[in-house]
Amino acid sequence: MTDRIAYTKPSITDLEVAYATDAARTGWGNKCYDYITKFEEAFAAHLGVPHAIATSSCTGALHMGFAALGIGPGDEVILADTNWIASVAPIVHLGGTPVFVDVDPTSWCLDPDAVEAAITPKTRAILAVHIYGNLCDMDRLHDIAARHRVHLVEDAAEAIGSVYRGQRAGAMGVFGTFSFHGTKTITTGEGGMFVTSDPDLYNQVLTLSNHGRTKGDTRQFWPVEVGFKYKMSNIEAAIGLGQIERVETLTHRKREILEFYRSALLTVGGMTMNPEPPDGRNGAWMPTVVFAPQTGITRDRVISAMKADGIDARIFFEPLSSLTMFEDAPQNSIARDLATRAINLPSFHDMTAAQQERVVRVVLGCMK
Ligand SMILES: *Cc1c(COP(=O)(O)O)cnc(C)c1O
């Protein structure tokens, strides 16, 4: 039996171990926020934004951000149908209405024309999710958001390392969010980040994130509103600090792996992979291949071939509108079609060339 190939696993070095050990030994009492502050500052600097708040998850960061924007009952938020449920759950929890639109066939992110067509007097925000590291068409989305006076928010959980016309993913919206779940390019086990360039929004979310207690309030235990408890621990932040100090290495390796797959698969014909954005860079969180019908390769064929070879298979996201708790949206035909003939490929940091070649062999073996 050949070794099993995981689709993802983190890269943890002595640096992260040393920081986490130090946090566990000494990061208490008046030092209990030291690594959190350092991680937030390093993350904000990497992104080129003034404000970052470490959170327990990306979902929590989105929840607080949308709450601070005042999203509630009667408000519509437009997002792509191709998405993980974490992006939409906070909107539902706040009583808002998610509106799922079709995706662009090349970027697999929301189609700006579909966004424009979905705008109503109830629209309050557009949620741009940079799927698998691919970038949304931010120029057009900014234009649409400005003309209709709605917020443009970025869920950049999958897009650390992605750059669009000189700006990093997550730094272009009214706020941006990130995830440090164990499968993501940088991880803290579980964790997330809220980022913004708007000082008022920053202060609002800072208060929300601390159970409604305002920074600098001298009164003890005095919330001024009902907030949330979505904070990151100092020990998690210590791991995060080590990871963000290595972010160039981590994203460089992701891009190398994507490039290897591109050179091995795209020459065959009938396949497409994550595109590079205009004047930018794809952070390559999740190398993904879409098979044209003439290749004879389907998602289900690849999944069984990968399983048989001991390779973890991960499916392309099914449209959220196909889940039972949402209204069906069969008109989103590109989102539906993509899910049946696409697959994510393994891409962990320490993957060997032999392992990548094995993945390519199995994929190509599925051609008719
Ligand atoms: C992983 C992910 C999330 C959820 O992140 P958590 O930290 O698990 O809450 C949200 N949005 C996108 C696009 C993701 O990939």
Side-chain angles (χ1 to χ4, degrees), residues 55-62 83-88 127-132 155-159 177-184 189-193 285 314 317:
T55 59
S56 53
S57 69
C58 177
T59 311
L62 281 168
N83 260 316
W84 173 230
I85 193 156
S87 301
V88 70
L127 177 58
V129 184
H130 306 294
I131 208 85
Y132 302 137
D155 179 351
E158 306 182 0
T177 61
F178 289 86
S179 171
F180 311 126
H181 178 255
T183 55
K184 301 289 156 75
E190 293 281 1
M193 194 71 79
W285 172 58
R314 181 186 148 118
F317 292 126

Side-chain angles (χ1 to χ4, degrees), residues 70-90:
I71 302 298
D75 295 335
E76 293 177 354
V77 178
I78 299 172
L79 72 162
D81 209 348
T82 299
N83 260 316
W84 173 230
I85 193 156
S87 301
V88 70

Side-chain angles (χ1 to χ4, degrees), residues 36-225:
I36 297 172
T37 308
K38 280 185 191 162
F39 181 35
E40 288 172 344
E41 285 173 2
F43 197 89
H46 168 73
L47 222 64
V49 295
H51 307 296
I53 301 171
T55 59
S56 53
S57 69
C58 177
T59 311
L62 281 168
H63 198 173
M64 292 192 292
F66 281 128
L69 293 183
I71 302 298
D75 295 335
E76 293 177 354
V77 178
I78 299 172
L79 72 162
D81 209 348
T82 299
N83 260 316
W84 173 230
I85 193 156
S87 301
V88 70
I91 300 164
V92 176
H93 287 314
L94 289 165
T97 305
V99 176
F100 302 122
V101 299
D102 210 355
V103 297
D104 175 90
T106 309
S107 72
W108 322 323
C109 294
L110 32 67
D111 172 357
D113 290 327
V115 171
E116 182 117 49
I119 299 263
T120 75
K122 292 180 179 171
T123 307
R124 293 285 313 283
I126 299 165
L127 177 58
V129 184
H130 306 294
I131 208 85
Y132 302 137
N134 301 359
L135 282 133
C136 299
D137 185 341
M138 293 305 284
D139 281 353
R140 288 209 49 209
L141 293 178
H142 266 301
D143 172 62
I144 294 167
R147 273 190 289 109
H148 296 278
R149 296 172 183 279
V150 301
H151 300 292
L152 178 58
V153 172
E154 285 179 280
D155 179 351
E158 306 182 0
I160 195 151
S162 294
V163 181
Y164 179 91
R165 300 194 201 283
Q167 280 187 293
R168 290 196 178 274
M172 296 176 276
V174 59
F175 71 82
T177 61
F178 289 86
S179 171
F180 311 126
H181 178 255
T183 55
K184 301 289 156 75
T185 300
I186 84 169
T187 188
T188 58
E190 293 281 1
M193 194 71 79
F194 171 92
V195 300
T196 185
S197 298
D198 179 334
D200 293 332
L201 194 61
Y202 168 68
N203 281 317
Q204 254 178 294
V205 172
L206 199 61
T207 300
L208 283 176
S209 77
N210 195 21
H211 266 320
R213 293 183 287 180
T214 312
K215 192 180 181 179
D217 197 329
T218 50
R219 295 167 295 186
Q220 275 193 322
F221 302 113
W222 199 262
V224 294
E225 63 184 309

